[in-house]
């Protein structure tokens, strides 16, 4: 499916869950890797706030894209954020959603106040 670039310049993004290795198979404990580079993938939780609305989302980032200085509760920037719609059938039930992936997650600052 197609990747959709997400414009984040007007959003405030706060880290809610520290990065941890993404598990591909929960039964075996196999860690997920990028299909092209073989690099370990990490997941983290953020709250994405824009236009008076907020959403909790999980974002996948390659391990090399996790920068120093990240702190839970602090603002972050998600460089190269894309959304990928997905669907699958599991145990006879149709499932669908949106997967988010970024190239880099880095500390950020709160946006300037309007009119400041």
């Amino acid at each position: 499916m197609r990747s959709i670039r997400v414009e984040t310049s007007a959003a405030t993004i706060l880290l809610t869950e520290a990065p941890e290795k993404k598990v591909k198979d929960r039964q075996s404990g196999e860690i997920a890797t990028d299909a092209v580079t073989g690099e370990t993938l990490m997941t983290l939780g953020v709250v994405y706030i824009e236009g008076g609305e907020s959403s909790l989302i999980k974002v996948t980032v390659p391990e090399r894209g996790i920068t120093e200085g990240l702190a839970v509760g602090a603002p972050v920037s998600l460089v190269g954020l894309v959304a990928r719609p997905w669907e699958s059938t599991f145990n006879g039930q149709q499932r669908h959603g949106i997967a988010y992936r970024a190239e880099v997650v880095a500390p950020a600052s709160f946006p300037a106040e309007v009119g400041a």
Side-chain angles (χ1 to χ4, degrees), residues 55-106:
S55 298
L56 290 170
I57 61 173
K58 289 276 193 179
V59 180
T60 299
V61 180
E63 192 169 34
R64 68 174 158 63
I66 305 294
T67 61
E68 295 292 322
L70 298 176
V72 172
V76 294
S77 65
L78 297 171
V79 178
L81 182 64
V82 296
R84 291 186 179 116
W86 61 268
E87 58 182 54
S88 66
T89 303
F90 182 73
N91 288 335
Q93 292 188 333
Q94 195 72 12
R95 299 177 57 186
H96 63 278
I98 300 173
Y100 294 92
R101 183 158 174 170
E103 296 169 17
V104 174
V105 58

Side-chain angles (χ1 to χ4, degrees), residues 13 22 25 32 44 46 53 63 70-71 90 98 105 115:
I13 305 168
K22 183 174 183 173
D25 184 331
L44 53 98
V46 299
E53 296 184 15
E63 192 169 34
L70 298 176
F90 182 73
I98 300 173
V105 58

